[in-house]
Amino acid sequence: MIEKALSGSKTYWLWVGFLGLWSLLAFALFVNQWIGGLYVTGMSRDIPWGLYIAQLTFLVGVAASAVMVVLPYYLHDYKAFGNITVLGEFLAIPAVIVAMLFVGVDMGRPDRLANILLHPSPNSPMFWDFLSVSGYLLLNLVIGFKTLYLKINGLKPPRWLKFLILLSIPWAVSIHTVTAFLYSGLAARPFWLSAIMAPRFLASAFACGPSLLILILFVLERVSSFRAERAVIDKLSQIVTYALILSIFFLLLEFFTVFYSRMPHHMHPFEYLLFGLEGKTAAVPYAWASILLTVFAATILLIPKLRKSSPWLQSAAVMTILGLWIDKGLNIVAVGFVPTPMEEIVEYTPTAPEILLTVGLYAFGALIFTFLCKIYLAGYRIFGSPPAPSGPGETIS
């Protein structure tokens, strides 16, 4: 089936070429950064994490969200998700790959990642994060391609595959939990020192990932013969609704705890985020943009008539993705370093090379997903059309 990714229309190859050029640009910018150093970025001694690590937190969430289609289908026999489980697993693959690439470019010396394997340290959250993320990538590669093969040939999954599928469900939760521990385990950073950091990450992941999957389903309907049942779209939109409301609720809990307790070292990062400190307001527009986008999206999703309207649902999905991308990106990462241990306000602004390299890595991820979609659609023409393969839980017929 892999050869299907190497054939397509002129439009397909123009899209592949466009993403390929962006990917090459990202590689060139990375080489320049490797040679010249991280001075080309907006990061500094006071703010060592920026746009790159922000994408790690976002993309790990996208990868973890695959569990939201796997769990209902395999544990609750919700057959409507039968034809999109592979798509959800294929979405997780480029998300994990690009998330790991962002860690590499953030380090400046990606060869030092080998130290995680050469000198493992079980006391380090980074060690467990590497194991969980790389293990999840391997699980989705095996499960995704094997499941697609079985569906095409109308075969039932073997016991070992069912075991891996069940294992992938808690593993998906673990990858975002361990990533959250990278932040909440740093006691010197009050902004991150929160017991609900992991639940916040998971709630936003389960809102953002299905939102992205909804948009992908609409795009596939436009460019191919793929057709998603309305029941699939409705169920995904319900998942987004509940998860987004929970994400907003967790954020309100943070606001109450910080501002009601009136502890200055906990208040200052939130004050800087929402209102600015000492005249420094670089983060304020991003913070309020994230809040407004997620609130507007939740309002749309809470109204059944609007949620069932494709244009409104697509708008809500876009707003959810953008709002949570900002929240889990610059809001959480950069603001965590404000103020510095010396009580100074040092602001962070991504530079042009940083932004272009980020876009290029996303283009590389989109390129991988494009190839995977091509393979998936080739299989869908077989298992997604009558006569459908027999077997419980194997089709949506």
Side-chain angles (χ1 to χ4, degrees):
M1 294 296 293
I2 295 178
E3 71 278 1
K4 299 297 182 180
L6 303 178
S7 62
S9 64
K10 182 179 179 181
T11 303
Y12 171 75
W13 284 112
L14 285 174
W15 173 245
V16 168
F18 172 75
L19 295 177
L21 287 175
W22 267 107
S23 302
L24 290 175
L25 174 61
F27 179 75
L29 289 169
F30 169 67
V31 171
N32 177 64
Q33 176 182 290
W34 195 352
I35 295 173
L38 290 173
Y39 79 94
V40 300
T41 71
M43 295 182 286
S44 63
R45 178 195 64 182
D46 295 309
I47 303 184
W49 290 351
L51 188 62
Y52 297 151
I53 292 298
Q55 308 318 307
L56 166 68
T57 59
F58 177 76
L59 288 169
V60 168
V62 171
S65 67
V67 73
M68 299 312 292
V69 294
V70 172
L71 190 151
Y73 179 58
Y74 288 103
L75 288 189
H76 301 285
D77 197 27
Y78 185 70
K79 293 182 173 61
F81 280 173
N83 283 354
I84 67 167
T85 52
V86 174
L87 192 62
E89 287 153 354
F90 278 179
L91 177 61
I93 293 171
V96 171
I97 291 174
V98 177
M100 296 173 75
L101 289 177
F102 272 114
V103 175
V105 299
D106 179 78
M107 292 186 68
R109 287 284 304 277
D111 53 300
R112 290 175 178 169
L113 284 171
N115 290 329
I116 296 177
L117 298 176
L118 296 175
H119 310 286
S121 176
N123 293 326
S124 170
M126 182 58 75
F127 169 75
W128 293 107
D129 195 51
F130 175 80
L131 288 183
S132 63
V133 171
S134 57
Y136 190 64
L137 173 61
L138 182 61
L139 281 172
N140 279 278
L141 282 169
V142 174
I143 294 171
F145 280 98
K146 183 63 176 179
T147 302
L148 182 62
Y149 171 81
L150 294 172
K151 284 181 174 291
I152 291 172
N153 292 278
L155 303 174
K156 295 182 180 180
R159 288 185 178 181
W160 65 266
L161 183 63
K162 290 181 178 179
F163 171 77
L164 291 182
I165 290 169
L166 294 177
L167 178 64
S168 71
I169 295 173
W171 204 298
V173 176
S174 76
I175 65 171
H176 219 20
T177 301
V178 176
T179 303
F181 286 169
L182 293 176
Y183 297 93
S184 61
L186 299 175
R189 301 294 177 183
F191 187 65
W192 297 333
L193 190 60
S194 171
I196 64 168
M197 182 65 75
R200 278 188 64 191
F201 274 25
L202 289 170
S204 60
F206 297 155
C208 188
S211 293
L212 183 57
L213 192 55
I214 287 171
L215 295 177
I216 290 170
L217 293 178
F218 280 117
V219 170
L220 291 181
E221 286 188 349
R222 279 182 168 270
V223 301
S224 70
S225 60
F226 176 84
R227 293 294 179 267
E229 287 189 1
R230 188 65 210 187
V232 172
I233 302 294
D234 290 342
K235 184 59 67 175
L236 286 174
S237 65
Q238 290 174 14
I239 293 172
V240 174
T241 304
Y242 296 137
L244 184 58
I245 292 172
L246 196 59
S247 179
I248 295 172
F249 175 66
F250 284 151
L251 183 60
L252 292 175
L253 291 180
E254 293 274 27
F255 289 163
F256 172 81
T257 304
V258 169
F259 290 110
Y260 189 79
S261 65
R262 307 296 295 176
M263 290 188 290
H265 59 291
H266 281 284
M267 287 179 60
H268 289 164
F270 282 91
E271 288 177 334
Y272 170 70
L273 181 68
L274 296 173
F275 313 111
L277 275 178
E278 299 179 5
K280 303 294 181 65
T281 60
V284 174
Y286 298 103
W288 286 104
S290 174
I291 291 171
L292 292 175
L293 284 168
T294 51
V295 169
F296 286 158
T299 303
I300 293 172
L301 293 169
L302 281 171
I303 302 174
K305 185 177 180 180
L306 296 181
R307 190 175 66 241
K308 292 180 181 297
S309 168
S310 295
W312 280 105
L313 177 59
Q314 292 172 42
S315 299
V318 170
M319 287 190 286
T320 298
I321 294 169
L322 289 177
L324 295 178
W325 180 82
I326 295 171
D327 178 56
K328 295 177 69 176
L330 297 178
N331 284 5
I332 281 184
V333 177
V335 176
F337 295 101
V338 179
T340 69
M342 302 301 293
E343 294 296 323
E344 296 177 347
I345 310 298
V346 178
E347 298 193 291
Y348 164 76
T349 302
T351 61
E354 218 172 341
I355 295 171
L356 290 174
L357 179 51
T358 298
V359 173
L361 286 180
Y362 269 103
F364 179 66
L367 181 62
I368 297 174
F369 186 65
T370 298
F371 290 145
L372 292 174
C373 276
K374 198 70 165 55
I375 296 170
Y376 169 79
L377 291 173
Y380 175 80
R381 294 188 186 97
I382 300 173
F383 72 78
S385 304
S390 60
E394 288 296 303
T395 178
I396 62 172
S397 59

